[in-house]
Structures are given as structure tokens and as C-alpha cells.
Amino acid sequence: MSAEELNNLLARCALGDEKALEALYAKASSRLYTLALGIVKQREWAEEVLQDAFVKIWSHADRFSAEKSGAMTWMSTIVRNRALDKVREFGRNPLLQGKALEDIYETPLVEDAPGPAELALMSHDLKSLWNCLGTLEQEQQRVILMSYYHGYSHQELSDRLTAPLGTVKGWIRRGLERLRMCLEA
């Protein structure tokens, strides 16, 4: 699945082409589902997130701009945001109040990095990202993954890790700078 092909399918979706939406779903849904499942940790929630995300992708396809980001990046952002919303809903659900999120699923950190089989299936860009993450200091890896993958705010990270807020922000800033330099190399 090429970036150009996804861009074209999104452009056709913006024009109301339902066949383009079907093709887009066929080409991108498995990767987007994996992203959602990685965040929400429950198959039912991931399926709901994916469905909601594709409704939003369809209804907002006219807002996609290939000059600003790639199609997969744009769709992944929609899925990630919806998945994080789903996790936040957990805290507002009266049936689940009083339970820790960790009681529902464990929060994987860097230790749960993909194994050789999973890496073989990943795209080159994702492999590069995982390799570059491996070059970061442990604190930087941890806060970046907790922030971007699990949606923790800087303050939540500070509280959870019992580290000063400025320190957490510094870890993230320096880690992202090192990631950027590694990915550009």
C-alpha cells in the first residue's frame, strides 16, 4: 500500500466515493486496528474505536491535505485520539469507578518492544522508529511511550513517576530531539 494510493483514496472519499472508502478500509484497517488495540488493550474497544475512526475519516476526508501529512499519519492520528478518548471514558464510567486502569490491562512500556517476528512485518519507518527508541535513555523511552502511546499528560507522568514536572518535560524534549536526529540520519 503506497502513500500515493492512500492519498488518492482519501481524495475520492472527500468526493463521496463509497467504493474508495471500502478500498481504504481494506488497505488500512488492520494497521489502524493494531494501533487502537495497542492503546485500549481490549478487542471490543479497539473495534469500536476503529469503527468510530472510519466514520470520522469518511466525514472529514475533505480536510486531509497530502502536503501537511501522509494519509496513514492523518488516519493514525484520528485513531489514536479516539482510542485515548475511549481510555478516558473508562474513568468516567460509574461501573468501573474505583478500579485502576491497570486492573483492566497492564501498561506496556519499552520492555514490550516487538520481537523479531513482529519487526519483520513492520514497515521500514516503524522499524527505524523502534531502533531509534532503543538509543534513548530509559527515562526518555518510558516518558515518550507513556505520553504518545498511552496518552498520559506531562502532569500525569510527573505524578505517576514521582518526578518533577520540569524533569519530565526535559526528558520528553531531549528524547524527541534525539529521535528526530536519529530518524533523519
Side-chain angles (χ1 to χ4, degrees), residues 7-159:
N7 291 350
N8 290 336
L9 288 172
L10 273 174
R12 289 176 41 207
C13 285
L15 298 173
D17 184 345
E18 293 178 9
K19 294 286 186 196
L21 180 64
E22 289 176 24
L24 187 65
Y25 185 88
K27 293 186 180 300
S29 63
S30 63
R31 286 180 66 186
L32 296 174
Y33 173 79
T34 301
L35 171 63
L37 185 60
I39 295 170
V40 300
K41 303 296 186 224
Q42 292 189 4
R43 292 189 184 279
E44 299 82 22
W45 287 7
E47 290 167 3
E48 184 179 329
V49 164
L50 187 65
Q51 179 180 357
D52 291 349
F54 266 94
V55 168
K56 189 166 188 173
I57 289 166
W58 171 254
S59 62
H60 292 90
D62 60 331
R63 296 183 186 172
F64 170 71
S65 170
E67 292 81 35
K68 292 181 181 176
S69 73
M72 188 55 78
T73 301
W74 185 76
M75 292 186 298
S76 295
T77 300
I78 291 172
V79 169
R80 178 184 177 274
N81 290 340
R82 181 61 195 114
L84 292 174
D85 289 346
K86 188 70 174 169
V87 171
R88 288 182 192 111
E89 284 175 23
F90 169 85
R92 294 189 298 266
N93 186 332
L95 297 175
L96 299 175
Q97 285 182 348
K99 294 183 181 178
L101 188 57
E102 289 79 8
D103 292 340
I104 300 299
Y105 64 87
E106 292 181 11
T107 305
L109 296 172
V110 176
E111 299 83 46
D112 290 335
E118 291 89 0
L119 282 173
L121 298 173
M122 289 182 185
S123 71
H124 174 72
D125 291 342
L126 194 51
K127 286 179 193 176
S128 297
L129 177 59
W130 274 110
N131 289 335
C132 288
L133 272 170
T135 68
L136 300 180
E137 295 174 17
Q138 184 176 5
E139 295 85 7
Q140 292 171 339
Q141 290 176 351
R142 184 177 178 127
V143 295
I144 287 172
L145 289 174
M146 289 176 75
S147 177
Y148 290 93
Y149 187 63
H150 296 290
Y152 288 105
S153 69
H154 291 153
Q155 186 61 56
E156 289 170 329
L157 288 168
S158 174
D159 295 343

